[in-house]
Amino acid sequence: MIQQYHDNLNFDTDKPILEMRDLCKSYFIGEGELKVLKDINLSITPGEYVAIMGPSGSGKSTLLNMIGCLDRPTTGEYLLGGAGVSTLDDDDLSSIRGARIGFIFQSFNLISQLNIIENIQVPMFYQGIPEYESAEKAIELAEMVGLGHRLKHRPTELSGGQQQRVAIARSLANDPLIILADEPTGNLDSSSGSEILDILHGLHDQGKTLIAVTHDEGIAKESERVIRLFDGMIDKEEYNQKRNER
Amino acid sequence: MFLFRLKRTLKLGIKSLWMHRLRSTLTALGIIFGVSSVIAMLAIGEGASADAQRKIAQLGSHNIIIETQDPPEEKSSTGQQQTLKEYGLTYNDAERFRNAIPDVQVIVPNRRIPQEAQYRTNRASIEVVGTVPWYPQISTLQVQYGRFVSALDMRYKRGVCVIDDQIVKALFAFDYPIGEDIKLGTDYYRVVGVAKEKDDTPETRQTASSEATSQAGANVGTIYVPLTTAQDRFGETNLQMSGTSGITMERVELQEIVVKVNDLMQIIPAKQSVETLLKKYHKKNDYAITVPLELMKRQQDIQRIFTIVLGSIAAISLIVGGIGIMNIMLATVSERTREIGIRRALGAKKKDIIFQFLSETFILTATGGILGIILGLGIPSLVEYYGNMPTVVKISSIGWAFGISSAVGIIFGLYPAYRAANMDPIESLRHE
Ligand SMILES: Nc1ncnc2c1ncn2[C@@H]1O[C@H](COP(=O)(O)OP(=O)(O)OP(=O)(O)O)[C@@H](O)[C@H]1O
Ligand SMILES: [Mg+2]
């Protein structure tokens, strides 16, 4: 089933990499229904850099998790690479997450009992990549984010900025098409924050689709498109030309 | 691919267990004690049973053993203690058994007299058994050198004797015993044979003899003489010195009659006939009947109950160990909620998570099980060495213990693993 799904995926540059049609997400608490996302219509093309903004509680993380196949819509459609996600079962979703999507979280979310290489290897392990191969790739990625000299360190021995760099390396382990970042600089000071942004921008320049939730207007200005959420609805979409000009 | 995953998962499991060494050790202890108690208890039970079975088998499965017993005192009726006590089995009894019981193979009347034996300057307390030529048929006694008591010895009341191997050790040391004379009481007897109990392993002999020497005045061994000779030379009256009432005289004809039947099926009816006969002719309760076959059956029943009880106790301790594991695994799962969320976001399927936690439980129970087996094998040998109790470790009991502990591990590990796998990834990620 899942192999078939992967085969059906269509990642032509001119067709949208992901598409949402009238997507709604509700939480049911007791008797009441809490609508967190309301009629989201969204389409993102491959290689795009999208920032999602909005006040706290407006549904940014929920939307990002939806894009990342961590969650399913209550109603509406979500197409990833032209194929519907709603019909897939839990195993298929896991496999899509592992192979196609790289997650970067505000709180880094490294596994504390594993060292840097092992952390970067985790996604590759679940894709069944052999140890020697994944170790090689992990070292390569760690060097790319500038941590080649601290391969055996545990996350607790690293600064926040360094931890987030490991997380970026980890998100790249399976060469994902889409990188999702939920307030990637939210827990960092401005200098390590801009280091992280530089790496992310570099990835975008290499052609990765990048979707980032942020509170920082400065970051949003760097992106190609800003989606503003308000109370679970898309309030405004703004297009910037800036990055393309660079 | 699968092996590679298995290897990585086990490595990961060992790593996380190692991070909580104390906790893991304490949890494994439950299994260690559970498994070792299963093995040790079954080994001790099995050993006791095997020992009892062997001792009973030595008495002879086709035999009915009737022994003379000192009857309860009759002080109350006469007001004073009798000075001549006359009781016990008689030659007439033996004759009656022969006539009344069909299918009898042999009847062996025995006289047993404690005596002092002397050869040159060596002395030993022994038991003289006045018996008949067919005595070996009802026992495991085997003649090693020379011959046993013969019919002619009986007819002419000859002063001959057959000694057992213990007596050879005690009296003769390096001399060849056959043809030598031993002094028993006031008379000399010529040694015509040396015999030995067959089934006695050297080990049990040793414990038996050490038991014997620990009892004051117990016998070193047995000397067999013709029954007629014993009757003639020792008489039937024993003098006994007792502290309170001076000298008591006892008259006992026979200490023991052994009836051997041809067919096992005849044991119970034969025993009933013996009982009726004895009831009729012995008003005093001066006998005891032992049927080794019955003992054996009773012993088997007791053993079964014993095994069930011990086995249940041990199994309960294993279950308690399993609950301990489940408890710890549930704690581990909730502690590592966030890790589970991360792994799920990075592509772990539910079954990967189940596999991860199940492998931790498995490592715990398997190491616990192996250590438990080692300990369980150690305890019986300690019991054997210090407790002087035989033990038998059956391979099946090791299999049982290991099987149960693995089952416990998997059963009690499944639920926590299942819980871990079914947590919502988003909520797990948000978990602090
Ligand atoms: N499991 C849940 N059950 C009920 N309500 C939930 C659940 N998860 C999220 N919500 C609600 O959904 C709404 C949107 O949450 P979300 O985390 O997407 O907000 P956000 O825009 O990311 O906010 P922030 O900027 O603070 O991170 C909130 O009102 C939140 O209370
Ligand atoms: Mg959020």
Side-chain angles (χ1 to χ4, degrees):
Chain A
M1 163 109 194
I2 187 67
Q3 192 50 52
Q4 200 184 340
Y5 179 85
H6 280 300
D7 293 344
N8 288 346
L9 292 186
N10 183 351
F11 296 113
D12 287 348
T13 35
D14 46 337
K15 290 202 182 121
I17 192 169
L18 64 88
E19 234 181 320
M20 287 178 170
R21 295 187 191 140
D22 301 328
L23 185 141
C24 294
K25 174 72 190 176
S26 302
Y27 286 109
F28 297 91
I29 302 154
E31 300 283 295
E33 180 184 357
L34 178 67
K35 289 193 172 181
V36 180
L37 294 177
K38 299 165 192 164
D39 295 318
I40 302 286
N41 282 289
L42 182 67
S43 162
I44 293 175
T45 50
E48 216 179 336
Y49 176 9
V50 179
I52 300 174
M53 296 200 73
S56 184
S58 57
K60 303 183 295 293
S61 298
T62 309
L63 179 61
L64 201 72
N65 290 336
M66 196 71 71
I67 294 171
C69 295
L70 275 169
D71 212 345
R72 292 161 187 277
T74 311
T75 60
E77 247 187 304
Y78 173 35
L79 307 171
L80 184 65
V85 162
S86 353
T87 55
L88 297 178
D89 66 15
D90 193 87
D91 278 2
D92 297 337
L93 292 182
S94 304
S95 146
I96 292 176
R97 285 198 296 269
R100 304 289 181 187
I101 291 163
F103 283 97
I104 298 165
F105 304 92
Q106 179 176 357
S107 48
F108 324 130
N109 276 344
L110 300 177
I111 297 172
S112 56
Q113 68 256 40
L114 304 180
N115 65 30
I116 288 182
I117 305 185
E118 289 165 337
N119 262 291
I120 300 173
Q121 280 178 297
V122 171
M124 295 189 262
F125 170 66
Y126 290 118
Q127 293 305 308
I129 292 166
E131 165 77 20
Y132 61 90
E133 220 176 297
S134 67
E136 209 170 290
K137 179 96 185 264
I139 292 169
E140 210 174 281
L141 288 168
E143 276 163 1
M144 193 200 93
V145 296
L147 287 169
H149 56 297
R150 313 201 59 169
L151 297 174
K152 297 282 175 188
H153 286 240
R154 295 280 176 88
T156 45
E157 296 158 6
L158 301 178
S159 74
Q162 288 169 329
Q163 286 188 55
Q164 195 62 304
R165 279 191 265 160
V166 177
I168 292 174
R170 183 179 67 182
S171 76
L172 296 172
N174 288 324
D175 291 318
L177 291 161
I178 307 171
I179 292 172
L180 302 177
D182 196 346
E183 301 186 39
T185 57
N187 280 8
L188 300 175
D189 62 50
S190 58
S191 76
S192 41
S194 60
E195 273 174 37
I196 295 300
L197 285 175
D198 286 344
I199 299 175
L200 290 178
H201 291 161
L203 293 174
H204 171 239
D205 293 340
Q206 286 167 29
K208 300 270 182 213
T209 312
L210 181 61
I211 304 173
V213 168
T214 181
H215 281 295
D216 188 334
E217 290 290 348
I219 295 173
K221 278 206 185 72
E222 298 278 320
S223 72
E224 295 165 341
R225 174 156 48 137
V226 184
I227 296 172
R228 296 194 186 268
L229 281 185
F230 187 80
D231 196 21
M233 286 182 289
I234 296 180
D235 191 35
K236 238 192 263 171
E237 283 189 67
E238 299 156 6
Y239 289 84
N240 301 326
Q241 293 304 312
K242 210 177 165 190
R243 279 198 65 77
N244 292 358
E245 284 160 12
R246 278 206 300 192
Chain B
M1 164 87 172
F2 176 75
L3 277 180
F4 145 72
R5 285 210 168 199
L6 185 69
K7 202 179 125 205
R8 284 299 303 269
T9 312
L10 288 178
K11 214 172 117 185
L12 186 72
I14 290 168
K15 205 166 182 170
S16 4
L17 290 172
W18 187 247
M19 283 187 56
H20 302 282
R21 260 152 293 188
L22 182 64
R23 187 205 267 187
S24 307
T25 315
L26 291 177
T27 314
L29 271 183
I31 293 295
I32 293 177
F33 289 139
V35 168
S36 59
S37 63
V38 168
I39 294 177
M41 282 186 176
L42 290 178
I44 292 168
E46 203 61 50
S49 149
D51 197 42
Q53 293 286 345
R54 202 184 50 239
K55 280 180 183 150
I56 294 169
Q58 240 171 41
L59 293 175
S61 54
H62 286 71
N63 293 350
I64 299 169
I65 302 164
I66 307 115
E67 282 168 303
T68 290
Q69 245 186 1
D70 203 346
E73 292 290 351
E74 291 171 354
K75 250 191 283 186
S76 53
S77 59
T78 55
Q80 64 180 156
Q81 200 168 347
Q82 286 176 300
T83 45
L84 176 63
K85 291 209 291 183
E86 206 173 346
Y87 66 91
L89 300 167
T90 62
Y91 294 99
N92 282 338
D93 287 328
E95 201 54 41
R96 283 186 207 114
F97 295 155
R98 195 192 318 283
N99 298 332
I101 305 168
D103 199 41
V104 168
Q105 194 181 332
V106 286
I107 291 186
V108 176
N110 289 327
R111 223 155 126 39
R112 292 179 180 272
I113 309 145
Q115 272 293 345
E116 175 108 325
Q118 187 182 351
Y119 170 69
R120 296 194 183 151
T121 53
N122 298 340
R123 288 161 176 274
S125 323
I126 52 96
E127 186 182 45
V128 173
V129 175
T131 190
V132 289
W134 49 91
Y135 177 86
Q137 288 187 43
I138 54 115
S139 71
T140 56
L141 198 70
Q142 281 188 327
V143 175
Q144 289 184 299
Y145 312 108
R147 61 177 177 83
F148 198 70
V149 173
S150 73
L152 285 178
D153 296 334
M154 285 285 282
R155 179 171 318 154
Y156 299 114
K157 303 179 184 175
R158 283 175 184 160
V160 293
C161 67
V162 175
I163 61 179
D164 73 11
D165 54 330
Q166 296 303 112
I167 306 273
V168 177
K169 261 189 229 162
L171 292 183
F172 289 93
F174 299 108
D175 294 343
Y176 185 67
I178 296 193
E180 299 295 322
D181 289 328
I182 291 181
K183 190 180 177 195
L184 295 171
T186 50
D187 295 304
Y188 284 91
Y189 295 77
R190 177 143 302 165
V191 177
V192 295
V194 173
K196 188 178 183 196
E197 295 270 0
K198 185 179 66 184
D199 256 345
D200 263 0
T201 57
E203 183 191 354
T204 51
R205 243 304 167 213
Q206 217 168 27
T207 52
S209 69
S210 64
E211 267 166 36
T213 42
S214 67
Q215 289 169 16
N219 304 317
V220 173
T222 312
I223 297 184
Y224 303 90
V225 303
L227 181 61
T228 47
T229 315
Q231 197 181 350
D232 200 38
R233 298 198 182 174
F234 294 101
E236 268 139 19
T237 314
N238 275 351
L239 284 183
Q240 271 193 350
M241 307 287 285
S242 84
T244 48
S245 54
I247 298 170
T248 325
M249 285 207 290
E250 283 185 338
R251 220 183 91 85
V252 176
E253 283 187 13
L254 288 172
Q255 271 72 27
E256 183 184 64
I257 300 174
V258 180
V259 177
K260 182 174 188 180
V261 297
N262 281 318
D263 183 4
L264 270 185
M265 301 300 290
Q266 289 302 314
I267 285 270
I268 303 300
K271 183 204 170 191
Q272 281 160 352
S273 320
V274 166
E275 255 174 347
T276 359
L277 282 175
L278 287 173
K279 274 213 184 90
K280 192 163 162 196
Y281 293 97
H282 291 251
K283 297 302 170 204
K284 291 187 272 189
N285 188 20
D286 56 358
Y287 57 87
I289 306 173
T290 311
V291 181
L293 189 71
E294 281 184 342
L295 287 181
M296 209 178 290
K297 284 192 174 141
R298 203 171 314 147
Q299 161 64 27
Q300 276 165 358
D301 287 343
I302 293 172
Q303 171 59 23
R304 198 168 308 130
I305 295 169
F306 207 59
T307 308
I308 291 171
V309 171
L310 288 183
S312 321
I313 293 173
I316 287 169
S317 71
L318 259 181
I319 289 172
V320 171
I323 292 172
I325 285 198
M326 181 147 146
N327 197 6
I328 288 301
M329 288 315 292
L330 283 175
T332 308
V333 165
S334 78
E335 221 170 62
R336 287 159 66 187
T337 303
R338 201 180 174 89
E339 180 193 328
I340 295 163
I342 297 171
R343 288 180 181 277
R344 294 282 276 134
L346 299 182
K349 299 182 173 127
K350 284 185 180 178
K351 60 170 184 264
D352 293 321
I353 302 293
I354 289 188
F355 202 40
Q356 180 186 344
F357 283 96
L358 213 51
S359 76
E360 274 185 38
T361 323
F362 176 75
I363 292 166
L364 270 182
T365 37
T367 1
I370 289 167
L371 293 178
I373 287 174
I374 294 170
L375 189 64
L377 292 177
I379 292 172
S381 37
L382 282 183
V383 166
E384 209 157 290
Y385 188 79
Y386 291 107
N388 215 349
M389 252 167 80
T391 56
V392 175
V393 178
K394 278 192 171 177
I395 300 295
S396 68
S397 74
I398 297 179
W400 271 109
F402 199 74
I404 294 176
S405 72
S406 323
V408 160
I410 289 166
I411 290 166
F412 287 90
L414 262 179
Y415 176 65
Y418 177 83
R419 263 235 323 225
N422 280 290
M423 292 193 296
D424 179 46
I426 299 175
E427 264 164 47
S428 318
L429 277 171
R430 210 180 279 148
H431 191 268
E432 247 335 294

